[in-house]
Amino acid sequence: MSRLLPGTRALRTFEAAARHLNFTRAADELGLTPAAVSHQIKEIEEQLELVLFTRTSRTIRLTEAGNVLHEASIDALDLLNRAVSRARKMTRGTSLLKVTLDVQFATKWLMRRVDDFRRHKPSVELRFDITYDIRDFERDDVDAGIRFGAGKYPGLCAHRLFDNIIIPVCSPALLASGPPLKEPRDLFHHTLAHIEWSQQGVTWPNWQMWMHAAGVDDFDDSRILVFRSSTDAAQAALEGNAVALADFAMVANDLSQGRLIRPFELGIKVAPEFAYFLVYPQEAKDDARIVAFREWLLDEVAKEADVA
């Protein structure tokens, strides 16, 4: 009977084609050509002796049989992915801890502290999965993660790390060579940068909000550079191209090393429910590797809070 079933690769191709209802988009996702996708679908249909798609000159649609197989393929691939994840975790030993986190937190906060963790916890081999994607602890080969959000993660333990305070920063060179920054209105003579981000009705602080908090109500935001990530906005400040609004925790090292300066003390807090959180499955709360990482990380956060 097993000979009548398509292999995993063919099943993934079918699932992508059924989800997109477009062979070209499925091919882009899978790294194949549309012709290869079409060929694999034809082989599956011949193998199963079923018509899975109806085709016209411009569109494709799932047949009734195709719908049944699509639902089953989603469940089968998901089950297989979860099993592979568990198997990998079982076979890679008890010392390796894989943590998933975004690029900004990794490069601006965690990486410069990793050597300290390794000195204090030499029995734990720490590795990172650096991505903006949200990993699934059951499907992906990761043990813990650092996420920015509201802290509501069903089935996960979540530890708040620190508040996000958004402050203006610039390079010393910009301040030395450009118009002076003695009061908030002096910012009108500089290029300003911030990010655009909103979620669940919460907007990340921008220059309009900062100016309002500073008592400036006639601010013109037409000269603002808008970036997708805080890392890019901070980089614009580091390169002397702009005065940027940045997350204090993410630029604290640049400030302490003199690569950036803080022309004004005024900062704006992100909505209090939003923050970076250390997260991991509830059933793993007593895992010695996670306990070690959690205790070290929360201690580092507390040290930074004392300094700030």
Side-chain angles (χ1 to χ4, degrees):
M1 184 64 185
S2 61
R3 291 196 300 270
L4 299 178
L5 298 177
T8 304
R9 182 176 299 178
L11 202 58
R12 291 185 185 279
T13 300
F14 167 72
E15 192 283 323
R19 176 163 33 88
H20 290 292
L21 291 179
N22 184 291
F23 288 174
T24 299
R25 287 198 291 270
D28 289 341
E29 177 183 316
L30 298 168
L32 301 172
T33 65
V37 170
S38 179
H39 179 70
Q40 285 192 38
I41 296 300
K42 183 178 179 181
E43 283 191 335
I44 295 171
E45 290 181 321
E46 291 176 351
Q47 184 180 3
L48 298 178
E49 298 181 352
L50 292 171
V51 176
L52 303 176
F53 293 93
T54 58
R55 302 161 174 82
T56 68
S57 59
R58 295 185 178 181
T59 63
I60 61 172
R61 291 188 299 111
L62 283 168
T63 63
E64 186 175 355
N67 273 311
V68 170
L69 187 60
H70 184 218
E71 291 177 4
S73 68
I74 293 173
D75 292 340
L77 291 171
D78 181 66
L79 182 63
L80 184 59
N81 283 332
R82 293 174 190 274
V84 169
S85 176
R86 290 197 302 273
R88 284 175 174 167
K89 291 176 182 178
M90 290 170 60
T91 57
R92 59 176 161 83
T94 58
S95 64
L96 178 61
L97 179 70
K98 296 186 73 172
V99 180
T100 180
L101 68 166
D102 67 37
V103 176
Q104 175 173 272
F105 196 96
T107 58
K108 292 296 186 179
W109 199 90
L110 188 60
M111 288 307 182
R112 59 191 173 90
R113 294 172 165 84
V114 168
D115 287 343
D116 180 76
F117 174 82
R118 288 172 175 154
R119 283 193 299 270
H120 284 82
K121 307 293 181 181
S123 62
V124 180
E125 182 184 354
L126 193 59
R127 292 187 189 175
F128 300 107
D129 169 60
I130 300 176
T131 177
Y132 284 110
D133 295 335
I134 301 298
R135 298 302 195 195
D136 183 326
F137 290 109
E138 291 189 9
R139 297 184 58 183
D140 298 311
D141 186 22
V142 294
D143 302 296
I146 295 171
R147 296 181 183 174
F148 182 81
K152 298 176 181 178
Y153 305 109
L156 302 181
C157 295
H159 303 270
R160 186 187 184 92
L161 298 183
F162 39 67
D163 294 328
N164 298 87
I165 301 174
I166 311 307
I167 61 170
V169 295
C170 66
S171 73
L174 182 144
L175 197 60
S177 61
L181 288 174
K182 296 181 178 180
E183 60 181 50
R185 297 183 70 85
D186 292 336
L187 288 163
F188 289 12
H189 306 296
H190 288 267
T191 299
L192 307 180
H194 67 211
I195 68 168
E196 283 189 353
W197 180 92
S198 61
Q199 191 176 106
Q200 300 178 27
V202 173
T203 299
W204 191 268
N206 55 39
W207 276 111
Q208 192 76 49
M209 296 163 66
W210 190 92
M211 289 291 182
H212 180 73
V216 178
D217 295 323
D218 59 342
F219 174 62
D220 177 10
D221 61 2
S222 61
R223 295 182 59 196
I224 289 177
L225 299 175
V226 178
F227 291 93
R228 296 183 63 184
S229 77
S230 295
T231 300
D232 292 336
Q235 188 62 35
L238 283 164
E239 294 174 359
N241 297 324
V243 182
L245 285 180
D247 187 340
F248 173 78
M250 297 299 111
V251 296
N253 191 52
D254 293 313
L255 290 168
S256 66
Q257 297 296 320
R259 291 185 291 270
L260 289 175
I261 57 176
R262 188 173 176 175
F264 302 104
E265 287 300 310
L266 176 64
I268 303 177
K269 284 188 176 182
V270 178
E273 65 269 28
F274 280 83
Y276 276 103
F277 290 84
L278 169 66
V279 298
Y280 50 84
Q282 291 178 352
E283 60 269 22
K285 62 183 177 63
D286 296 323
D287 185 311
R289 300 164 304 163
I290 289 178
V291 170
F293 183 69
R294 178 184 69 217
E295 291 178 349
W296 171 82
L297 182 63
L298 295 179
D299 185 55
E300 288 296 306
V301 169
K303 289 178 184 176
E304 184 159 294
D306 292 339
V307 172

